[in-house]
Amino acid sequence: MELNKISNDMMVKMGLMSKVLKSAAGDGMQFDVLYQSLLKAVSQNEDSQKLSDNIMSSTPGQNLQAMDMLIGQADYKNQYASENLSASASNIKGQELSNIKEVKPVTEDAKMKQIYASVNKYSKQYGVDPNFVLGIIKAESNFNPKDTSPVGAMGLMQLMPETASYLGVKNPYDIDDNIKGGVKYISQKIKQYNGSKEMALMAYNAGSGTMQRRGVSSTSDLYKMPSETRNYVPKVMGYYRDFGAKSI
């Protein structure tokens, strides 16, 4: 690892962030693995300064999500830096994006029409099945753009403040802005986990760091995740199948 890429100011912040990470992961091998990943992420991620500032000014729970974002994005960049991830070159299990079928709302409600239009737009842009995105929105907010969770997750796809900031979402309660950020994020998680929607959902709900700490390496390890995530994944996949059946 090229430590000379990390500024003195960043090294000071890394020392403080290590205390936050140690309090969550414990003082053992898990901490060592996560901290090394964090150092690697900082040295390779051009957005690390922005994310580290967010980490230092956030609550403990948000700190972990921000660090998970930093580590996850570094892994994502390392794995896919050599690939062309533009919409014209991306595939979904070998299927060209041009073959993705648009979803149509079953109601004339103006809000739902706007949601479906944004889902179609960004699903095609980022290479995600629009019915899968609808399943996430259904589970996260039940199509309420103004929804806010007790922990501060916002909008249709329930983006945490640090996640929204990283993704460039200026207004998480704006339908188009929220869906753009949410679809971009889930697309990164799908690629990070080699196309596995279930693994991507675990990461979307609980974070890649949580998966790593709990030794989750495949979909069969879902039982190792918190109860909320164990319920979340099959719920979204069920909605995904339901929306897919309606679109046939």
Side-chain angles (χ1 to χ4, degrees):
M1 178 178 53
E2 300 179 65
L3 291 176
N4 60 343
K5 289 185 179 181
I6 305 177
S7 67
N8 290 335
D9 179 63
M10 181 63 73
M11 288 301 294
V12 172
K13 290 181 179 179
M14 289 295 299
L16 295 174
M17 285 189 286
S18 69
K19 295 180 180 179
V20 176
L21 185 58
K22 186 175 292 186
S23 68
D27 189 10
M29 184 171 64
Q30 288 182 336
F31 166 77
D32 291 336
V33 171
L34 288 173
Y35 189 60
Q36 287 302 314
S37 296
L38 185 58
L39 284 172
K40 182 178 179 181
V42 169
S43 70
Q44 297 181 356
N45 193 333
E46 64 269 19
D47 294 312
S48 59
Q49 182 68 50
K50 180 179 178 182
L51 272 172
S52 67
D53 289 341
N54 285 338
I55 290 170
M56 298 311 301
S57 62
S58 302
T59 64
Q62 292 170 339
N63 281 337
L64 291 177
Q65 185 184 47
M67 284 190 287
D68 173 62
M69 172 74 76
L70 186 57
I71 294 169
Q73 290 306 313
D75 291 342
Y76 168 77
K77 287 186 177 183
N78 290 339
Q79 185 174 358
Y80 295 99
S82 62
E83 296 182 8
N84 181 355
L85 298 178
S86 64
S88 61
S90 298
N91 294 326
I92 300 178
K93 295 183 179 179
Q95 181 185 29
E96 294 296 331
L97 289 179
S98 59
N99 293 330
I100 294 178
K101 294 182 179 179
E102 291 191 351
V103 290
K104 297 180 180 180
V106 294
T107 174
E108 293 299 314
D109 179 75
K111 180 191 73 176
M112 293 301 291
K113 284 186 175 182
Q114 186 179 356
I115 291 173
Y116 272 66
S118 293
V119 167
N120 283 323
K121 176 182 178 181
Y122 296 114
S123 292
K124 188 166 186 178
Q125 179 175 335
Y126 292 111
V128 181
D129 188 328
N131 290 303
F132 184 57
V133 176
L134 290 174
I136 294 174
I137 293 174
K138 172 68 175 176
E140 291 286 356
S141 65
N142 197 25
F143 295 93
N144 177 9
K146 304 302 181 184
D147 190 35
T148 303
S149 78
V151 297
M154 301 172 288
L156 288 166
M157 299 189 73
Q158 290 291 277
L159 304 176
M160 289 296 289
E162 288 73 25
T163 307
S165 176
Y166 177 85
L167 294 168
V169 176
K170 295 181 179 179
N171 181 5
Y173 297 106
D174 176 78
I175 289 174
D176 193 73
D177 206 9
N178 185 284
I179 291 175
K180 179 180 181 180
V183 176
K184 179 179 181 180
Y185 187 47
I186 193 64
S187 74
Q188 293 174 350
K189 290 302 179 183
I190 291 172
K191 292 179 177 71
Q192 181 181 347
Y193 293 103
N194 300 314
S196 172
K197 290 183 174 65
E198 290 87 351
M199 293 286 283
L201 287 173
M202 290 187 222
Y204 192 91
N205 180 256
S208 298
T210 300
M211 296 170 69
Q212 186 177 8
R213 290 191 296 275
R214 290 174 177 249
V216 176
S217 59
S218 69
T219 56
S220 62
D221 290 328
L222 177 60
Y223 73 93
K224 298 179 181 180
M225 295 296 285
S227 59
E228 178 185 344
T229 307
R230 295 198 302 269
N231 293 327
Y232 176 80
V233 173
K235 179 190 293 186
V236 174
M237 294 305 291
Y239 289 145
Y240 172 36
R241 289 189 292 271
D242 291 344
F243 282 115
K246 293 176 184 177
S247 66
I248 297 176

